[in-house]
Amino acid sequence: MSFKRLVSMDIAIIGNTDIAAYYASKFALHGHNIYMACCEKNNVIVRNIQDPNNRIIYTSISDAALQADFIIIATDPIEVREASYWLGDVRKKVIIDVTANVFAPEDELVKTVCAIKAITGSTHVIKVFYTGGYENILKPLFNGGSVDLLLLSDSKKAKEITKIMAIEIGLKYFYDFGGSDNIPLFNEITKCWRKLKLQNEKRDVVNTSLKIRETRK
């Protein structure tokens, strides 16, 4: 299926995380209006996000959700419930849960997509995982092929809108992870990938330190 480029849209991005900043800068760069907000207890949001077109507006969660055509939840997992309560009436809006890309302690992990559904009443909630930085880990799993974004939702509408918006920011290859019955598997797999990525990063730091020491001898 091919997609035409969308006109400028209003996008709410909720969270003060690296992945929130990533999506905000990407969508702003492509001409969309971004309403950024975070939970009340975390009210100092990152403001050094690349925004050459002055498309990013910093506001409250409720205002961001009201203005938005669709919503991206990019908080720490433990903040998902609080953020969902502040969204207000978003039952007809697509909500994209990107918290699978957020590193968090084990005791702060929650069933985010289930919480968002239960609190907001939206039937168009989708859980995604962006594979940037995980390429070496994932290539063997997909026979060397490219997968930019994993999608999990019971809503066809949510999946199609997410694909269209992802293509807008340069993502091309998608893997459909099915519906809500696969949430436990999705959560377990992405948790393992985050751990592997951290281990690889630590190993790279150690190797770099050893090389520096060798060159100084």
Side-chain angles (χ1 to χ4, degrees):
M1 182 183 294
S2 61
F3 298 102
K4 293 182 178 179
R5 192 184 187 284
L6 295 178
V7 296
S8 178
M9 296 186 72
D10 296 324
I11 304 170
I13 300 181
I14 316 301
N16 194 9
T17 60
D18 289 341
I19 195 69
Y22 167 80
Y23 282 114
S25 62
K26 285 289 187 180
F27 283 121
L29 192 62
H30 284 76
H32 299 288
N33 301 316
I34 310 301
Y35 294 85
M36 290 209 72
C38 60
C39 292
E40 295 300 309
K41 68 177 181 181
N42 186 15
N43 56 17
V44 182
I45 198 165
V46 175
R47 292 174 182 264
N48 59 346
I49 300 170
Q50 183 182 359
D51 183 24
N53 299 325
N54 295 316
R55 291 283 186 171
I56 299 178
I57 299 167
Y58 297 91
T59 184
S60 66
I61 293 177
S62 56
D63 182 62
L66 179 65
Q67 300 292 337
D69 296 307
F70 72 95
I71 300 160
I72 296 175
I73 301 290
T75 65
D76 291 321
I78 200 171
E79 295 178 338
V80 164
R81 291 190 180 95
E82 180 184 349
S84 298
Y85 279 114
W86 281 103
L87 289 176
D89 187 358
V90 291
R91 286 172 292 178
K92 295 182 180 180
K93 295 187 179 184
V94 170
I95 303 175
I96 304 174
D97 172 9
V98 303
T99 58
N101 280 109
V102 178
F103 289 90
E106 291 294 320
D107 60 346
E108 293 186 5
L109 297 177
V110 298
K111 296 178 180 178
T112 55
V113 71
C114 298
I116 296 167
K117 280 184 175 182
I119 294 167
T120 65
S122 173
T123 57
H124 303 297
V125 180
I126 180 169
K127 193 172 183 69
V128 305
F129 183 84
Y130 169 57
T131 64
Y134 292 82
E135 293 85 357
N136 292 335
I137 297 172
L138 301 185
K139 274 187 177 181
L141 298 177
F142 296 103
N143 297 320
S146 296
V147 174
D148 296 322
L149 205 65
L150 274 65
L151 314 170
L152 183 150
S153 180
D154 293 324
S155 168
K156 183 177 180 181
K157 174 183 175 180
K159 286 181 179 178
E160 293 306 312
I161 287 179
T162 300
K163 287 178 184 178
I164 292 170
M165 296 309 299
I167 289 170
E168 285 273 297
I169 59 174
L171 307 182
K172 299 178 181 179
Y173 306 106
F174 309 100
Y175 184 86
D176 191 329
F177 216 87
S180 56
D181 53 327
N182 287 330
I183 289 175
L185 178 60
F186 184 99
N187 289 341
E188 190 62 31
I189 287 176
T190 54
K191 180 176 72 174
C192 290
W193 291 345
R194 288 194 301 271
K195 285 184 177 180
L196 286 171
K197 188 171 185 287
L198 278 175
Q199 289 174 358
N200 289 342
E201 289 173 351
K202 289 178 181 178
R203 182 192 61 198
D204 290 342
V205 169
V206 171
N207 290 340
T208 300
S209 298
L210 291 174
K211 288 179 181 179
I212 292 172
R213 289 180 184 178
E214 288 296 322
T215 57
R216 289 177 177 175
K217 288 181 180 180

